[in-house]
Amino acid sequence: MASATVTAKSEPDRRRSRGSWLPGTRLGRLIIALNLLGLVILIGGALVLNELRRGLVGARIDSLTTQGELIATIIDRAATIGEPEPSMDGQYAAEILQMLSNPRSQRARLFDAEGRLIADSDWVADRVEWKTLPPARQRVDPGTFSLDLQGRGPTAPKASGEAGLAREVAKALKGDHQAGMRVGDHGARVVSVSIPIQHVQAVLGVLTLEASDVDEIIARERAALIPFALIAVSVTLISSLLLNRLIAQPVRRLARAADSVRLSRARAISLPDLAKRDDELGDLTRSLEDMTHALSERMDAIESFAADVAHEIRNPLTSIRSALETLDLVTDPAARERLTRILHQDIQRLDRLITDISNASRLDAELSRESPRPLDVGRLLSDVAGLYQETAKPGDIDVRFVPADTLEPIRVSGREGPVGQVFRNLIDNARSFSRPGGEVRVGLQASRGQAVVTIDDDGPGIPEENLETVFQRFYTSRPKGAAFGGNSGLGLSIARQITEAHGGIIRAENRTGPDGEVAGARFVVSLPQARS
């Protein structure tokens, strides 16, 4: 059974040549890029705002440190009393702190050398807050509020902010400048600096400055992050819609087209707009179209083959029926003998037809079942020719193998059974046309990466107009006097089908003698050599 040869339309070399900084295929790169774009925008915005927040907090610490060092220096110069053991005049230091007004968002507190609170900017009576005030705090007399510098927390009502302040003041009383973020009295985060007030080496107290607008800064940062988040969400949404349009919908169309082929018994899928796409879906569409077209051609070939089989089988059956109907009416022994010979010939022809039809119908399955492997063509031809020589009967045409004039074996990639069937079919055809006493010669040569096998006979040759038609199914034109029913007309067709399935070609030509007359027919089979 002949099968259609389909030329693949894929372009692997061109696709490999497409350079890109992203790995994968075209649609794969598109999916990666679109999904990463929104994430990159969001991460980029977060990093930018994070750097902005760090800069703002650092600037606020620097500002508070500069201001605190100035106030601490003034208090040291103006409120230090006692020699040789200096101390700080708490009341005067508190007045100095009250005179040095602070911004509304800042709070200043002054502690003595024992960690007792002696001044707080929130105690200033004439200060007007421009924002909503926190719950009112009662004024604490300097003598009643102190910090537990051993880490047990404040003696006033306990709060996490006071505990953090106590640790900060305790470290500052050791002479170390403290700066950073911590929790304030009301649970809000504050930027705080604690600067020791030193006279020479003696620590007279600690000045603590706090900026309570950190939460406002963070809130503004979060608000600034919203546009980035919205952009990221928008990009993700757009990319999802784009991927749905570029991938999901075309795949759905392909599925519906495949269902249409299955349900309406159509022969092929046709989606020209998708086939024009230069990506994986375009490759898939073209492959599906090629596959369905190949299946359609295969179905046409099966229908044509079935029609040819029915026609070829009908002829011997009609002849057998006519002979049987006539046999009962004929009384002449010679006529009955002729009818009997006709019956034997028709039965032989029918048997030959059924055998070759069975071989042809199994050919596709055999070709797909076995994987190609390297074959030594010289050894295979030697075995085939040796089998004919061993089974030859008196009067049979001799088969002689002429090996290649090279020491290296000539190998092809193929299936040993089908390739051997090609040579057997050609040899059988050559023997059937050879004259009595003739010879069939099988030659092998390597030429330009091809293994070239020739099968020569000593028959009458092939008419020029039939050099191609001899490979058609059931073509059985034979010279006068040839045995009737000895051929089915499928041998050469099967040989071409197998050869083309292995990437080779087969052709027929005539040999001429020195006088220019036709000396016989020659069949040439070219198969690609296997790569070493």
Side-chain angles (χ1 to χ4, degrees):
M1 176 172 55
S3 64
T5 302
V6 179
T7 302
K9 296 182 181 178
S10 60
E11 301 173 345
D13 295 334
R14 183 165 65 86
R15 290 199 296 269
R16 281 195 296 267
S17 64
R18 300 172 189 158
S20 176
W21 59 275
L22 280 176
T25 56
R26 186 183 181 91
L27 280 179
R29 293 193 296 268
L30 178 62
I31 292 172
I32 293 173
L34 290 178
N35 284 299
L36 286 180
L37 184 57
L39 185 60
V40 168
I41 293 174
L42 187 60
I43 293 176
L47 291 177
V48 170
L49 293 177
N50 186 53
E51 292 298 325
L52 178 62
R53 183 179 65 181
R54 291 180 181 178
L56 290 175
V57 172
R60 182 55 57 88
I61 290 176
D62 293 340
S63 174
L64 293 177
T65 300
T66 301
Q67 184 179 357
E69 289 178 348
L70 176 61
I71 296 174
T73 301
I74 294 174
I75 292 175
D76 174 40
R77 298 292 184 183
T80 301
I81 59 176
E83 291 292 345
E85 294 184 0
S87 62
M88 183 174 61
D89 185 345
Q91 183 175 358
Y92 189 50
E95 294 176 355
I96 294 175
L97 184 63
Q98 291 176 3
M99 288 187 296
L100 299 175
S101 60
N102 296 290
R104 298 186 184 92
S105 60
Q106 292 184 9
R107 181 180 182 183
R109 284 184 277 194
L110 183 63
F111 299 89
D112 62 12
E114 302 299 327
R116 292 189 297 270
L117 180 64
I118 59 177
D120 191 336
S121 61
D122 283 0
W123 296 346
V124 180
D126 59 350
R127 187 164 185 173
V128 180
E129 294 289 343
W130 61 272
K131 61 181 180 180
T132 302
L133 294 176
R137 295 197 302 264
Q138 294 182 351
R139 179 185 175 102
V140 181
D141 293 335
T144 62
F145 183 90
S146 65
L147 295 176
D148 184 359
L149 302 183
Q150 283 71 37
R152 294 189 299 271
T155 58
K158 296 183 179 180
S160 59
E162 296 297 344
L165 177 62
R167 290 191 295 270
E168 186 174 316
V169 171
K171 293 180 181 179
L173 287 174
K174 297 178 181 179
D176 298 329
H177 283 240
Q178 301 296 314
M181 291 184 64
R182 59 177 174 79
V183 178
D185 294 346
H186 302 285
R189 285 178 291 185
V190 296
V191 176
S192 174
V193 296
S194 293
I195 300 172
I197 301 175
Q198 290 181 285
H199 186 78
V200 189
Q201 297 295 328
V203 178
L204 307 180
V206 173
L207 174 66
T208 299
L209 298 179
E210 298 177 358
S212 59
D213 59 350
V214 179
D215 287 335
E216 296 178 7
I217 296 175
I218 295 175
R220 289 196 297 269
E221 291 177 0
R222 289 173 178 171
L225 186 61
I226 291 177
F228 292 96
L230 292 178
I231 293 174
V233 171
S234 300
V235 170
T236 302
L237 180 60
I238 293 173
S239 65
S240 300
L241 295 175
L242 186 61
L243 292 176
N244 177 69
R245 181 179 178 85
L246 293 178
I247 299 177
Q249 293 182 6
V251 169
R252 189 181 300 112
R253 287 185 59 194
L254 284 174
R256 289 175 179 173
D259 290 339
S260 176
V261 171
R262 176 176 58 88
L263 297 176
S264 62
R265 299 184 181 275
R267 288 295 184 92
I269 291 176
S270 180
L271 296 172
D273 56 329
L274 293 181
K276 294 179 182 178
R277 290 180 51 165
D278 189 21
D279 54 24
E280 289 74 15
L281 281 177
D283 294 339
L284 176 60
T285 303
R286 290 189 292 271
S287 297
L288 288 176
E289 288 182 347
D290 291 343
M291 180 188 70
T292 53
H293 281 302
L295 292 175
S296 177
E297 292 178 2
R298 182 70 59 82
M299 293 170 66
D300 292 338
I302 292 173
E303 293 174 357
S304 176
F305 181 76
D308 292 341
V309 167
H311 176 74
E312 291 297 323
I313 291 180
R314 186 180 295 112
N315 290 335
L317 287 178
T318 301
S319 177
I320 291 173
R321 183 178 59 185
S322 299
L324 289 175
E325 291 175 351
T326 307
L327 189 61
D328 293 336
L329 303 177
V330 176
T331 58
D332 182 30
R336 292 178 65 87
E337 181 65 25
R338 285 196 302 273
L339 289 174
T340 303
R341 286 200 301 270
I342 291 175
L343 286 172
H344 283 294
Q345 290 172 354
D346 287 336
I347 292 173
Q348 181 182 2
R349 181 185 178 190
L350 190 59
D351 179 70
R352 178 75 177 184
L353 274 171
I354 293 174
T355 300
D356 287 347
I357 289 171
S358 176
N359 292 335
S361 63
R362 294 197 308 266
L363 184 58
D364 285 338
E366 292 178 357
L367 290 175
S368 62
R369 185 182 303 115
E370 184 180 356
S371 300
R373 59 184 181 86
L375 298 176
D376 187 342
V377 183
R379 181 193 59 78
L380 179 60
L381 291 175
S382 177
D383 293 343
V384 171
L387 181 62
Y388 278 101
Q389 293 172 359
E390 292 176 2
T391 59
K393 299 177 182 178
D396 286 349
I397 304 300
D398 291 336
V399 178
R400 180 167 59 91
F401 171 57
V402 181
D405 54 357
T406 176
L407 298 178
E408 294 293 331
I410 300 177
R411 301 180 183 274
V412 299
S413 180
R415 306 159 183 86
E416 184 172 359
V419 173
Q421 184 178 356
V422 171
F423 302 138
R424 289 194 300 272
N425 288 359
L426 295 177
I427 293 174
D428 288 340
N429 181 78
R431 293 179 69 192
S432 67
F433 281 97
S434 294
R435 300 183 181 91
E439 181 184 57
V440 174
R441 293 167 297 281
V442 181
L444 173 63
Q445 292 294 332
S447 175
R448 298 180 180 179
Q450 298 283 319
V452 181
V453 180
T454 58
I455 292 93
D456 298 343
D457 62 38
D458 295 329
I462 305 172
E464 292 295 329
E465 65 273 12
N466 292 336
L467 289 176
E468 182 62 27
T469 57
V470 293
F471 294 102
Q472 296 178 0
R473 287 196 304 263
F474 301 113
Y475 179 83
T476 56
S477 177
R478 304 186 68 79
K480 185 178 180 180
F484 179 77
N487 294 83
S488 64
L490 286 173
L492 296 182
S493 175
I494 292 173
R496 167 165 282 188
Q497 181 181 351
I498 297 174
T499 302
E500 291 180 348
H502 286 80
I505 58 174
I506 183 173
R507 70 178 190 276
E509 59 186 33
N510 288 316
R511 297 186 302 106
T512 56
D515 55 357
E517 295 294 329
V518 175
R522 169 179 290 168
F523 287 87
V524 182
V525 179
S526 297
L527 294 171
Q529 288 187 256
R531 297 180 180 179
S532 57

